[in-house]
Amino acid sequence: MIETAEPLSWLDLAWSAALILLAGGLSVVWNLGIHRRLLIAAARATVQLLLLALVLEALFATASPWLTAAAAAVMLGFAGREIFGRQDRRLAGGWGYGVGGAAITVAASVVTLFALTTSVRPDPWYDARYAIPLLGMILGNVMTGIAVGLNTLTAACARETAAIEAQLALGATRWEALNAPIRHALRTGLIGIVNSMAAAGIVFIPGMMTGQILAGQSPEQAARYQLLILFLIAGATAIGAVMAVLLAAARLTDDRHRLRLDRLRGTK
């Protein structure tokens, strides 16, 4: 029988935290200028994860579909804000937040509900013990894919303005003129999850599989769960990236097939 890992004490955690101090010391020695940011990030992670643990314990105890939905809504809202914050060039007005927020909400919600009602099947299906961690794993990766895809598209439109407008002047539709930037943005947004799947098991052991093995799960079952998560992330990233990039491309043009870079905010 596989024994579960021993609970971590605060002293155990302090030993690992010493590595953060080591990294900060290296930053000071080499004058990298990131030691403050590193310490602040570590402190934020500590506070955020401990608060998350308290919230999850309360959610698990109540098993309320409304509280689960509220927690999911908060997570989706912050994910949309992160996508907005990672853009060098942003769509002006509410579109700057709306495109990324809508894309990640649709993609993550659809794929999470799909997993809960097909592969995972908790009872009840909205059980926060399954729904919230599953949504969180999907969000973290989809958020990056959408942000990278949007950033690539807006950068390409700003960089290749002359080429795009030349195609439009020659009679190309806006979708024909933006075909190359759209395809490049989608490839860039999806390459992260493609590389993760290609390297999983050979270059690294993914976090889900590692956690389940440490918790006492058999390696085979841990591998199955990891594959499930990777496939869900890939599907959600594809849905989110396509939706976000196409919405942004539509916003950056108009019905008269003109490029509308005036709808972009300037570089940060």
Side-chain angles (χ1 to χ4, degrees):
M1 181 177 180
I2 300 177
E3 297 182 358
T4 58
E6 290 293 326
L8 285 175
S9 67
W10 288 107
L11 179 60
D12 297 328
L13 197 58
W15 280 113
S16 62
L19 296 175
I20 298 296
L21 298 178
L22 173 63
L26 292 175
S27 173
V28 172
V29 170
W30 289 95
N31 197 26
L32 302 179
I34 62 170
H35 51 281
R36 292 178 183 269
R37 293 173 58 188
L38 180 65
L39 294 176
I40 291 173
R44 283 189 57 181
T46 301
V47 173
Q48 290 169 181
L49 289 175
L50 291 176
L51 288 176
L52 174 62
L54 294 176
V55 172
L56 289 179
E57 286 182 0
L59 283 175
F60 296 166
T62 57
S64 166
W66 303 111
L67 288 178
T68 301
V74 171
M75 294 168 67
L76 289 166
F78 276 104
R81 180 63 184 82
E82 282 295 313
I83 292 172
F84 174 77
R86 296 183 185 187
Q87 303 305 303
D88 292 330
R89 296 175 177 84
R90 305 166 180 168
L91 292 171
W95 288 88
Y97 178 87
V99 167
I104 198 167
T105 297
V106 171
S109 299
V110 167
V111 171
T112 300
L113 290 174
F114 173 77
L116 290 173
T117 54
T118 56
S119 302
V120 181
R121 298 189 303 276
D123 185 21
W125 65 268
Y126 55 80
D127 189 344
R129 188 176 297 274
Y130 295 88
I132 297 302
L134 188 61
L135 176 63
M137 284 187 286
I138 292 173
L139 278 181
N141 293 269
V142 178
M143 180 177 66
T144 300
I146 292 176
V148 170
L150 285 174
N151 206 47
T152 303
L153 177 69
T154 54
C157 288
R159 183 179 61 249
E160 301 170 17
T161 301
I164 294 171
E165 290 184 335
Q167 293 182 64
L168 293 172
L170 292 172
T173 67
R174 55 179 172 173
W175 298 111
E176 290 172 339
L178 288 181
N179 180 265
I182 288 174
R183 290 172 57 201
H184 179 51
L186 292 176
R187 280 197 302 267
T188 306
L190 292 172
I191 197 64
I193 182 59
V194 172
N195 289 340
S196 292
M197 288 193 292
I202 296 178
V203 178
F204 69 97
I205 301 178
M208 174 75 171
M209 185 173 179
T210 301
Q212 289 220 322
I213 291 174
L214 291 176
Q217 186 67 270
S218 70
E220 181 191 359
Q221 281 298 313
R224 292 186 186 185
Y225 271 100
Q226 184 62 64
L227 286 171
L228 170 67
I229 295 302
L230 287 173
F231 295 160
L232 293 176
I233 290 172
T237 303
I239 294 171
V242 168
M243 182 176 174
V245 168
L246 291 183
L247 284 174
R251 182 60 182 167
L252 289 173
T253 54
D254 59 25
D255 293 337
R256 297 175 63 184
H257 302 282
R258 297 177 300 178
L259 186 63
R260 297 293 303 274
L261 292 186
D262 58 298
R263 293 174 175 174
L264 272 182
R265 289 184 181 180
T267 305
K268 293 190 294 185

